[in-house]
Amino acid sequence: MSASAPPSQLYLRQARDAAGSKECMDIYDKWAATYNAEVGDAAQSYVAPVLVAQAAIKYKAAKSPADSVILDAGCGTGLVGQALAMSGARAIDGIDLSQPMLDIARDTGAYRDLAQADMNKPIAQKDDTYDIVSCVGTFTLGHVGPDPALRELVRVTKAKGIVVATILQQIWIPGGFQAEVEKLKEEGLVEVISDELIDYVKGHGDKAVLLILQKSQRA
């Protein structure tokens, strides 16, 4: 990628090429202050946060947003949390690898609680805590792999609750995500509600799997 590329593209390329969690965190720490302006604005057409928030509300229709307890995993600067809050959600927790990103998310006022976490490891949240778990922009190149992250998101979800996540199309199969979802399904932990392909950044060519899992009653 050319050195004259926009900062957002340079940071994104560096993050997707990151060799591990520490390198990825350092990139997002530097990017945090300008992230929303460069990626989250309408000009970038970053539609994934809104699409995930809409899907989360739609598939958890038995419980209103205001009555749902939600975890935004890999919350970044809070784009998904803000979209959920606009739909009426009030109890939203967030976790992210980057503390500067969390600081910006806190300023949105959308979150009940925020904590730093590396999703390549088991997370601190308790079993069966959340009605909805959202995860956008985290399952991508150089970021978080399928194991243990997907199983952890299911673990902290209540029975009959849902996990809504985007997974970059490039890594859905080769990155082991499809295989991990099949494993969770075969173990009776989840039902796959949807794994449709969506625009990730509209007009920029990136596609992602919009994965919606419902946790089994007996899990």
Side-chain angles (χ1 to χ4, degrees):
M1 185 173 289
S2 167
S4 62
S8 61
Q9 293 183 29
L10 292 173
Y11 279 130
L12 182 60
R13 175 62 179 272
Q14 290 170 9
R16 288 183 174 181
D17 289 343
S21 296
K22 176 63 168 61
E23 184 178 339
C24 191
M25 181 180 70
D26 289 344
I27 293 163
Y28 279 101
D29 285 355
K30 291 185 292 185
W31 194 4
T34 58
Y35 181 88
N36 283 357
E38 293 172 358
V39 174
D41 64 5
Q44 289 289 333
S45 299
Y46 185 31
V47 295
V50 171
L51 291 177
V52 165
Q54 289 173 343
I57 299 305
K58 175 182 177 181
Y59 287 97
K60 198 56 184 169
K63 204 171 214 182
S64 73
D67 293 329
S68 296
V69 182
I70 302 170
L71 176 66
D72 185 12
C75 63
T77 58
L79 297 176
V80 178
Q82 290 178 84
L84 288 165
M86 288 179 66
S87 297
R90 295 181 295 195
I92 309 171
D93 296 340
I95 57 172
D96 198 86
L97 185 62
S98 167
Q99 187 60 51
M101 288 276 191
L102 288 166
D103 292 340
I104 293 171
R106 182 171 288 106
D107 289 341
T108 68
Y111 293 89
R112 179 181 70 172
D113 183 66
L114 290 160
Q116 194 170 16
D118 182 353
M119 288 174 57
N120 282 304
K121 302 174 182 178
I123 58 177
Q125 281 66 24
K126 295 180 180 178
D127 295 0
D128 308 312
T129 299
Y130 297 100
D131 299 294
I132 297 169
V133 174
S134 62
C135 186
V136 178
T138 301
F139 295 131
T140 185
L141 294 163
H143 288 56
V144 175
D147 182 22
L150 283 174
R151 189 175 295 270
E152 281 291 281
L153 297 188
V154 171
R155 176 184 66 79
V156 302
T157 303
K158 296 177 183 178
K160 308 304 286 184
I162 62 166
V163 176
V164 186
T166 59
I167 300 168
L168 199 67
Q169 183 186 22
Q170 291 172 257
I171 60 171
W172 170 241
I173 295 175
F177 288 89
Q178 185 183 56
E180 183 66 12
V181 169
E182 286 300 315
K183 187 184 299 184
L184 294 170
K185 183 180 175 182
E186 288 169 6
E187 291 175 21
L189 296 177
V190 300
E191 177 186 350
V192 179
I193 303 299
S194 175
D195 56 4
E196 67 174 312
L197 203 60
I198 61 166
D199 283 328
Y200 187 64
V201 181
K202 202 169 184 66
H204 286 247
D206 277 348
K207 296 283 186 179
V209 172
L210 178 61
L211 180 68
I212 305 174
L213 304 176
Q214 184 173 51
K215 186 171 180 178
S216 300
Q217 185 71 51
R218 66 180 185 276

